[in-house]
Amino acid sequence: MTEKLKKDLIQKIVTYAQKNAPKKQAPLLLPFIQQYYAHAPFEDLSERSMRDLYGAAFSHWKLVEKRAPSEYKRRIFNPQLDVDGWESSHTVLMFTLDDQPFLVDSLCNEINRLGFTIRFVLHLGGLKVVRNAKHQISETCVNNVTKGILIEAPIYIEINRQSDPKILKDLGESLDRVINDARMAVEDWSKMEAEIYSALKDLEQHKLPAQEAYIEEINTFLRWLLDNHFTLLGFRYYERVLEGDHLALRLKPNSGLGVLRDTKTSRKVRYYEDLPPKAKALSLSDYPIILAKTNTRSTVHGRRYTDYISVKCFDDEGQVIGERWFIGLYTSTVYNSDPKDFPLIRQKFHYVLERSRLPENSHAYKALAHILKTLPRDDLFHATADELFDLSIAILHLQDRRCIRLFARKDIFNRFISCLVYVPSDDFNMELCDRIEAILKKSLDALETSYTTIFSDSLLSCIHFTVRIDPKKPQIYSLSRIEQEIIEIGRSWKDGLYQQLTALLGEEKGSALATNYKRSFTAAYRESFSPQIAAKDIVCLEKLIFESSDLQTSIYKSVNATAETLHFKLYHRDTTVPLSDVIPILEKMGLRVLSEQYYCVTYQNNHTAWVNDFNILCTPKLAFDIKSMGEIFQSAFDAIWHAKAENDGFNALVLSAKLPWCEVVVLRAYAKYIKQMGITFSQDYIEQAICNHSNIAKLLVHLFLCQFNPQGEHLEPNIRKQWIDQIKQSLIHVASLDEDRILRIFLNLICATVRTNYFQTDAHGNHKPYLSFKFNPSKIPDLPQPKPLHEIFVYAPHFEGVHLRAGDVARGGIRWSDRREDFRREVLGLMKAQQVKNAVIIPAGAKGGFIPKLMSINLDRDGIQKEGIRCYQDFIRGLLDITDNLYQDAVIHPKDTVCLDGDDSYLVVAADKGTATFSDIANTLSKEYRYWL
């Protein structure tokens, strides 16, 4: 069907030409057009207009119409409608010359080498014409004429458009050289064949007894080359001479043939002493033939490095008197046929198989024979039998093993290193080839590299790299180190994951997790993270499952990260974490979020987990060191996320002052009390003052810890004074008066603190969810009058409370306040009123109050009551925490008064009904109990 469509299209072009071509040229032009498009793909022709198809053929006709014998003509141009009568979006290359082999592939190879893209190719190889005395075509498509027929080769090529005249000029000169090389190789073909026959005759005439074992095989090899197994491209003859005291090969004048015909720029003398040791030894031996590779790529037929065959010439006494050098390319037949029947190579096959001592019908024997057959042909031709044995046996030992191995062999002239890299077939891809090539090129200091791939039904695929090196430059490299680098980049992601997990968790647990997670990660995740990172992520993901945790975190630095950038990961079950919940926390800690990526992890039961990776920036002054600060930072984030700590500006002290979040809470609690004192500074301003002087903040916390740590030594007054003096000395450098005042208030409050529950823990050893301070108000100069005798402040993220007592023995109640900004003022007023009210009963008054901070407008009545009860209970616990622990579980009888403090002050608790412990009172809000505080 396609052929019919193409015939119809060509007929339309001919019809178009009949109407538009010059009448005198039409009889010759029309048959030319038919043959011009006879072998063109229909798909390419159908995309073009009649005008452009006719224009291209007519333009080429004008180039072909008149041509002298053996003349080579070309034209490179960009067709334009107003100049040429047709147009093309590509640059057009037109050639015409005598038909000969290798023309099209040689031109195309050179165009590709220069980096141009071929869009369209037409080749009229075998165009038969008859020309007159003026070298003009007089007949085309001649069938019956037997005299005067010329067979020509018009070639039409389109490449990606080039408008720079210099580029077009250089392109034309390069293609001219290629055409010239191809013409010389074809013209001298018979002469080069004759030289091979001369070499055969010479070897037969001067065969020595010592050479009889292998001379016949060499002769067979030379005849085999002529049997369509070797494309001859060039020849030269070198005579062995003595140049001074040095043995050398001297080029025989006018001996060059083919692409080696021109000897003007060639070395006339080549000294043996300049050769590498192995090449020198082989060249000086009486072994008649040398097979190797040149360091020059062929311009004819293919862009491969040309093969070099040197056949030595002997005199009647068996002395080497010269060498015949042949260069060319082994044909495709050699690369596609079974090499065990090739002369010379079959001897190596037999040697390797015999030396292996494997039973002939065994699986290993057959596998070894198969390995030899599939080795690169260059290695078979150029490696010694011992080298082939070592290589093939090593490859045999790889069978059925999933691994990565490198084998390398340097040629005797030190021009090339042949590298065989075996990788698991299911891990093979072109990107891996390119990455291995980059390693070899760098490690071996290569001038040029190329590779081909070898596939089989084995678990392993082979990549053959040809690495061209500088023979004059010493090669210093470690194959084991190079192999290790290749293993690192070639190991599949899942193999790497298995290795990392087993190294991290042991083989049993690691392999089980590797199996569970081998299909859990997306391609995007595998592209972004190494197996080493993934193994650590799996540890965190497992904690989500087995620790019933809703969030896990990790922090790390990427390989190419700057000193100020780092990554922070969140692991969350079922859903990804909202950015609006995370970014404010990080920003309050003094960090800036640059970007975020999230990845879904799917388990075998179709449940999911999410990994959010944040790229964050910290200011240089923070000097974030993951080893020392990573755990502190993650612990702080976790506490803020789970509402154990508030999200405010104080959290910047975690990084700037290197304070754990629980120590930051101390400063936050004091700041909340400062607000209740009636100080006019806002919360933000207090945070800024503290964070601007993180060194002083750290000193304040240290003073607090040393002053109240029950397990530490008692802080002697003079030592305590030294700490205070150090803080005051630091305050001298505070430039802002407001900030100085704020920092001094913090210092005064710590000095006025009598007792705290900071060091008390719950049953699990964790910090309690609230923090209590007992103050001596007389030591706080900024407190408004009247100052109570004793004061307790309880802080928590979900509530704040204060208890004021005017005397050692006092009576009063607890109030649920709704005045968040100044509930202490409210409680102070009530304490004064209670003092007057109870003057007859108890000499002094007392009053307490708390404010829930997490009341939501979405809570119903039961929710509000539940939150209020929680705050009330924690407030009572906070008050009891800083009493004498000896009385915590004491039984209270009706109307009993119990001394709770050990400093001659009293907290009076009376039970109306029955008996109860203080723990009972703290754990219930029943009306059966009434608190007189």
Side-chain angles (χ1 to χ4, degrees), residues 187-438:
E187 289 172 359
D188 291 346
W189 186 286
S190 59
K191 295 179 182 179
M192 290 186 284
E193 282 188 325
E195 290 292 341
I196 290 183
Y197 286 116
S198 296
L200 283 166
K201 183 178 179 181
D202 184 67
L203 289 175
E204 288 292 337
Q205 288 179 347
H206 302 99
K207 180 170 63 175
L208 299 176
Q211 298 173 335
E212 289 182 359
Y214 47 76
I215 201 69
E216 188 59 38
E217 186 72 7
I218 293 173
N219 289 344
T220 304
F221 175 75
L222 293 176
R223 294 187 186 95
W224 175 81
L225 293 177
L226 295 174
D227 188 19
N228 193 33
H229 290 114
F230 194 73
T231 302
L232 289 163
L233 299 179
F235 168 82
R236 281 179 185 168
Y237 184 86
Y238 284 86
E239 301 170 315
R240 180 177 285 190
V241 295
L242 194 64
E243 291 281 334
D245 296 332
H246 303 289
L247 198 61
L249 289 173
R250 183 171 59 200
L251 177 63
K252 182 178 180 180
N254 303 319
S255 65
L257 297 174
V259 296
L260 299 181
R261 185 189 299 176
D262 185 4
T263 60
K264 294 179 182 179
T265 59
S266 301
R267 290 171 57 188
K268 301 299 188 292
V269 178
R270 299 172 183 267
Y271 294 95
Y272 284 101
E273 63 183 24
D274 294 336
L275 295 174
K278 290 183 178 179
K280 180 180 178 181
L282 183 59
S283 298
L284 292 175
S285 72
D286 60 358
Y287 188 72
I289 194 168
I290 300 174
L291 306 180
K293 280 277 187 185
T294 74
N295 54 8
T296 304
R297 287 187 179 273
S298 172
T299 57
V300 180
H301 190 37
R303 284 295 303 169
R304 290 176 287 153
Y305 289 105
T306 52
D307 292 281
Y308 158 78
I309 300 173
S310 172
V311 184
K312 296 176 183 178
C313 302
F314 299 87
D315 61 14
D316 293 337
E317 297 178 356
Q319 299 296 317
V320 178
I321 59 174
E323 293 184 16
R324 289 182 174 90
W325 285 13
F326 300 91
I327 67 165
L329 298 171
Y330 290 104
T331 63
S332 59
T333 305
V334 174
Y335 290 94
N336 296 323
S337 301
D338 190 341
K340 69 180 177 62
D341 297 325
F342 295 173
L344 294 183
I345 291 179
R346 59 193 175 192
Q347 290 183 332
K348 299 177 184 179
F349 268 49
H350 178 72
Y351 171 82
V352 171
L353 292 172
E354 186 177 85
R355 183 180 170 186
S356 71
R357 297 183 179 180
L358 295 171
E360 287 194 18
N361 294 324
S362 67
H363 171 75
Y365 184 92
K366 295 177 182 178
L368 181 60
H370 178 74
I371 290 169
L372 289 169
K373 292 179 185 179
T374 55
L375 283 176
R377 296 298 185 266
D378 290 342
D379 287 320
L380 293 177
F381 280 115
H382 305 146
T384 65
D386 289 330
E387 288 175 332
L388 280 182
F389 175 80
D390 293 338
L391 176 62
S392 57
I393 291 297
I395 296 173
L396 178 65
H397 292 160
L398 296 181
Q399 299 302 301
D400 302 321
R401 291 176 57 194
R402 183 182 176 85
C403 61
I404 296 176
R405 284 296 309 275
L406 165 67
F407 303 100
R409 181 192 61 82
K410 185 186 293 186
D411 78 324
I412 60 173
F413 290 98
N414 286 355
R415 295 169 180 161
F416 296 93
I417 300 177
S418 173
C419 298
L420 294 177
V421 180
Y422 285 84
V423 299
S425 297
D426 54 355
D427 295 336
F428 175 87
N429 56 67
M430 297 310 296
E431 181 184 358
L432 176 61
C433 293
D434 293 339
R435 294 172 69 184
I436 296 175
E437 183 181 27

Side-chain angles (χ1 to χ4, degrees), residues 64-76:
V64 172
E65 181 187 13
K66 184 176 181 180
R67 189 180 75 87
S70 302
E71 183 182 6
Y72 160 59
K73 298 172 69 177
R74 67 161 169 83
R75 184 186 180 194
I76 300 176

Side-chain angles (χ1 to χ4, degrees), residues 875-917:
F875 182 41
I876 296 299
R877 293 188 182 102
L879 295 176
L880 295 176
D881 277 348
I882 54 175
T883 63
D884 192 328
N885 289 334
L886 293 175
Y887 297 96
Q888 286 294 309
D889 295 319
V891 176
I892 306 173
H893 297 281
K895 307 302 182 183
D896 276 0
T897 298
V898 181
C899 172
L900 302 182
D901 288 354
D903 55 1
D904 298 327
S905 58
Y906 296 89
L907 175 65
V908 179
V909 181
D912 286 343
K913 296 181 180 179
T915 61
T917 66

Side-chain angles (χ1 to χ4, degrees), residues 107-203:
L107 287 171
C108 290
N109 285 329
E110 182 67 9
I111 291 170
N112 288 325
R113 184 188 73 83
L114 294 172
F116 301 106
T117 303
I118 296 175
R119 304 293 187 181
F120 182 55
V121 177
L122 276 178
H123 177 216
L124 275 74
L127 174 66
K128 298 177 181 179
V129 298
V130 177
R131 295 185 180 272
N132 58 25
K134 295 182 180 181
H135 311 303
Q136 294 174 325
I137 295 177
S138 58
E139 292 185 49
T140 57
C141 299
V142 180
N143 293 319
N144 299 320
V145 178
T146 58
K147 187 177 180 180
I149 293 179
L150 299 173
I151 302 178
E152 301 183 0
I155 302 172
Y156 176 96
I157 301 175
E158 290 182 1
I159 64 173
N160 53 310
R161 193 175 185 87
Q162 305 294 323
S163 57
D164 187 338
K166 185 178 185 308
I167 292 178
L168 297 178
K169 179 177 178 295
D170 293 342
L171 172 61
E173 292 175 353
S174 295
L175 297 179
D176 292 345
R177 285 193 295 270
V178 169
I179 291 294
N180 186 53
D181 286 347
R183 293 173 68 182
M184 289 190 297
V186 172
E187 289 172 359
D188 291 346
W189 186 286
S190 59
K191 295 179 182 179
M192 290 186 284
E193 282 188 325
E195 290 292 341
I196 290 183
Y197 286 116
S198 296
L200 283 166
K201 183 178 179 181
D202 184 67
L203 289 175

Side-chain angles (χ1 to χ4, degrees), residues 423-466:
V423 299
S425 297
D426 54 355
D427 295 336
F428 175 87
N429 56 67
M430 297 310 296
E431 181 184 358
L432 176 61
C433 293
D434 293 339
R435 294 172 69 184
I436 296 175
E437 183 181 27
I439 290 176
L440 294 174
K441 188 170 186 178
K442 179 181 178 181
S443 302
L444 301 176
D445 195 17
L447 299 174
E448 191 176 1
T449 57
S450 61
Y451 64 84
T452 56
T453 55
I454 304 170
F455 296 100
S456 67
D457 56 359
S458 169
L459 286 175
L460 302 177
S461 295
C462 178
I463 315 166
H464 177 220
F465 292 90
T466 302

